[in-house]
Amino acid sequence: MAFLQLQKDLEKLTGSAKLSDAVQDVDKVIDLLTAAREKVASANNPHTTNLTLAKLQNPIKEQLDVLNSNLRHVYKAQNEFNKALKNALPKAQGTLPTEHDPMESHSTLINRAIVMHLLREGQFGVASTFINEAQQQPESPQRPRPTQIRQPESQPSDSEFHPVMSPEYLPPTDAIITDADIPSDLTAFHSQALQSSFADMYSILSALKAHNLLPAISWARENCVELEARGSNLEFELCKLQFIWLFKGPEINGLPNTSENGVQGALQYARENFGRFQHRHLREIRQLSAAIVYSRNLADSPYSSIFDISAAFDEVSASFTREFCSLLGLSAESPLYVAATAGALALPQLVKYNSKTKAKGTEWTTANELAFETPLPRSMMYHSIFVCPVSKEQTTESNPPVILPCGHVLAKESLHRLAKGSRYKCPYCPSEGAVKDAKEIIL
């Protein structure tokens, strides 16, 4: 209910009070002044000047009154929405400890994460400003003045990309980003290779957004060896979607009505490109070819699901992002975005736990783990949580899980406590073995 009311308040704000009206009022004032100036300049007569200025007073006053009235409506609507927003959001119970900031000594890492996020989002201008302001120190011979990040001519403007998603997109480049490209010094983010990678990314994703698959297919073909080594089907998925897009014909895809479009164009494309995929995708290729029989009535055919591409371009964009990021050694999503989102989801639980422990006079002393379960979506769960069945404690980086030759898993410290010298006996089966034979595992 609170959300629905908040949505209504937002619609009321956007519908009744618009800054655009105030801008139009200002434009009208400017037009009146401009017309008066031209009239005075053309007349070149003191009498005409005085008369023009006298006639100008009332219209200017009326327009300024209208402007002030519109601005008052905007301020009033914003204040009302601000009150509604405060009422709709739940108030946090308790406060978080402020005497210690665990990230205080890691400002450089935080700045790096922010810059990387801005670059991944295509916000090159903002990233440049952030780097320059973060690096503002007294100039010295050892530290060069930061230069402006180059905005590629083909790169869309910052305002065109503001993903929430956003899933983050990343495309091709001949230069591989390594740790040397992302050092602690923020000026290194002016690296031409780094900027070029992200600029190329948006070039391909812009094409995908416009249903142009050819740049993405070209990139996948150039990197086919690495993609196949990873077991990726990205190149085939792109070619498959291109076949279906051509198959739909000019009425749907908007491409020129030539022999390279429609069913005949799709068949020609299949002959030229599907041969190299037969060893892995023969069944799917046969289905695509057999669908030609039902070209006049695909919706009622057995292949209707294959040719339903309502979400196909979004899905292939996400796959492209994931594979490209992987080849560059980057995560598919911005680490800053994931950390901020996960933190926002976990914060209410942390505040609640902290207030309760403070009320009971107890303290949270557990290291390297939370004392409660944090509800996070499955997409943000990157590893399993393992609790040692012997010690009943959760494993950590310094005390990882290890698997014994018999298949049972314990915490490393538990194994060493059970061991007598260099040998141990499994607490769950009769097996015995050497401590050195236990292997650390990642869940």
Side-chain angles (χ1 to χ4, degrees), residues 1-15 81 84-85 88:
M1 291 297 294
F3 174 76
L4 293 176
Q5 183 59 42
L6 187 61
Q7 192 173 27
K8 290 180 180 178
D9 292 332
L10 180 59
E11 292 174 355
K12 181 180 178 182
L13 170 65
T14 56
F81 183 72
L85 191 61

Side-chain angles (χ1 to χ4, degrees), residues 372-422:
F372 53 87
E373 183 179 358
T374 304
L376 292 176
R378 190 171 186 83
S379 61
M380 292 185 179
M381 295 181 182
Y382 297 99
H383 60 81
S384 301
I385 296 174
F386 178 74
V387 177
C388 176
V390 175
S391 65
K392 310 300 181 186
E393 295 178 354
Q394 183 176 314
T395 54
T396 63
E397 291 184 3
S398 59
N399 182 28
V402 293
I403 186 169
L404 308 180
C406 60
H408 291 108
V409 181
L410 308 174
K412 186 176 182 180
E413 292 180 359
S414 298
L415 175 62
H416 285 286
R417 283 196 295 265
L418 291 170
K420 295 180 179 179
S422 60

Side-chain angles (χ1 to χ4, degrees), residues 424-438:
Y424 70 90
K425 180 184 180 304
C426 178
Y428 295 99
C429 69
S431 299
E432 296 185 10
V435 174
K436 64 181 179 62
D437 293 332

Side-chain angles (χ1 to χ4, degrees), residues 211-405:
H211 294 170
N212 180 7
L213 293 156
L214 298 182
I217 293 173
S218 177
W219 176 86
R221 195 154 290 168
E222 290 173 3
N223 296 274
C224 62
V225 176
E226 293 85 351
L227 292 173
E228 289 180 3
R230 290 173 42 81
S232 170
N233 297 325
L234 177 62
E235 185 182 358
F236 175 72
E237 292 300 324
L238 289 166
C239 291
K240 174 183 172 181
L241 184 55
Q242 177 70 3
F243 172 88
I244 296 174
W245 191 236
L246 292 173
F247 194 96
K248 296 282 187 179
E251 296 82 5
I252 302 297
N253 59 37
L255 297 175
N257 188 9
T258 64
S259 59
E260 296 179 354
N261 196 3
V263 175
Q264 293 301 322
L267 281 175
Q268 182 62 31
Y269 183 82
R271 294 190 192 100
E272 295 173 355
N273 295 276
F274 281 176
R276 57 197 303 257
F277 302 114
Q278 289 185 13
H279 63 291
R280 292 179 60 183
H281 304 283
L282 182 59
R283 182 173 177 273
E284 293 175 82
I285 293 174
R286 285 175 175 173
Q287 289 178 332
L288 293 171
S289 302
I292 295 173
V293 179
Y294 300 91
S295 60
R296 295 184 180 275
N297 192 21
L298 273 175
D300 298 326
S301 73
Y303 306 101
S304 58
S305 60
I306 299 176
F307 282 77
D308 180 10
I309 58 172
S310 54
F313 281 92
D314 291 336
E315 292 172 356
V316 83
S317 294
S319 298
F320 173 79
T321 298
R322 184 170 55 253
E323 297 299 342
F324 182 77
C325 291
S326 178
L327 292 186
L328 289 183
L330 300 173
S331 60
E333 291 186 343
S334 164
L336 180 64
Y337 170 78
V338 173
T341 305
L345 293 174
L347 190 59
Q349 296 285 339
L350 181 58
V351 172
K352 182 178 179 181
Y353 177 83
N354 185 68
S355 61
K356 287 189 174 182
T357 54
K358 183 177 291 186
K360 294 180 180 179
T362 59
E363 292 185 3
W364 174 20
T365 58
T366 307
N368 297 325
E369 64 181 78
L370 290 174
F372 53 87
E373 183 179 358
T374 304
L376 292 176
R378 190 171 186 83
S379 61
M380 292 185 179
M381 295 181 182
Y382 297 99
H383 60 81
S384 301
I385 296 174
F386 178 74
V387 177
C388 176
V390 175
S391 65
K392 310 300 181 186
E393 295 178 354
Q394 183 176 314
T395 54
T396 63
E397 291 184 3
S398 59
N399 182 28
V402 293
I403 186 169
L404 308 180

Side-chain angles (χ1 to χ4, degrees), residues 124-143:
F124 296 111
V126 180
S128 176
T129 301
F130 180 85
I131 292 172
N132 291 339
E133 292 185 357
Q135 294 285 83
Q136 277 182 358
Q137 295 179 3
E139 294 185 20
S140 63
Q142 292 78 18
R143 182 181 295 276

Side-chain angles (χ1 to χ4, degrees), residues 117 120-121 123 160-169 202 332-334 336-338 340-341 380:
H117 178 78
R120 291 175 67 128
E121 297 290 304
Q123 303 287 344
E160 292 183 27
F161 291 93
H162 190 265
V164 175
M165 47 159 245
S166 206
E168 256 130 20
Y169 299 124
Y202 284 106
E333 291 186 343
S334 164
L336 180 64
Y337 170 78
V338 173
T341 305
M380 292 185 179

